[in-house]
Amino acid sequence: MNTVLKVLLTALAVVLIAKVLPGVSVDSYLTAILVAVVLALLNLIVKPILIVLTLPITILTLGLFLLIINALVILFTDSLVGGFQVANIWWALLFSLLLSFLQSILHSFLRENRQEN
């Protein structure tokens, strides 16, 4: 149940960010849920492979290249999900930063709720 709530909260964050950023658009709430699911799967499967393959450059940039990897995952999600558009890598970078920030805030509500019960 917790995983479903996290996906729904991520979908909510995707919708909110798409309303704020002009370079990002989501057609519907169902598309936002699909974006959240695809992002979760890509972060689980593809992102670790990219991190290992780009480890030398990540070390040289003191971890800042991970921001580019996040943006690439967002762009890959854009190509996989119809109805979700990101204009370019800069919008994807800003989207990934805002998404991480919103996810940490929204997921903290889940942790607080779980600790109260």
Side-chain angles (χ1 to χ4, degrees):
M1 187 67 170
N2 200 19
T3 304
V4 173
L5 285 174
K6 284 184 179 183
V7 168
L8 291 176
L9 287 175
T10 300
L12 175 67
V14 167
V15 169
L16 292 174
I17 295 169
K19 289 189 184 295
V20 172
L21 294 180
V24 179
S25 67
V26 178
D27 288 345
S28 66
Y29 294 112
L30 184 61
T31 304
I33 293 171
L34 187 60
V35 167
V37 169
V38 169
L39 273 176
L41 290 174
L42 289 177
N43 283 333
L44 183 69
I45 298 168
V46 175
K47 190 175 175 182
I49 295 169
L50 288 175
I51 290 172
V52 169
L53 290 176
T54 60
L55 193 59
I57 195 166
T58 302
I59 292 171
L60 283 175
T61 61
L62 302 174
L64 290 176
F65 193 73
L66 292 174
L67 296 172
I68 301 300
I69 291 175
N70 286 339
L72 291 174
V73 169
I74 297 292
L75 290 174
F76 191 45
T77 303
D78 173 23
S79 67
L80 291 176
V81 178
F84 175 63
Q85 293 86 25
V86 180
N88 55 36
I89 194 160
W90 300 110
W91 287 115
L93 182 64
L94 186 56
F95 179 84
S96 70
L97 289 171
L98 290 174
L99 184 64
S100 296
F101 179 70
L102 271 177
Q103 279 179 328
S104 66
I105 291 171
L106 293 173
H107 292 175
S108 71
F109 291 133
L110 284 179
R111 282 191 296 268
E112 288 175 10
N113 190 20
R114 199 174 39 194
Q115 289 174 355
E116 290 174 2
N117 290 334

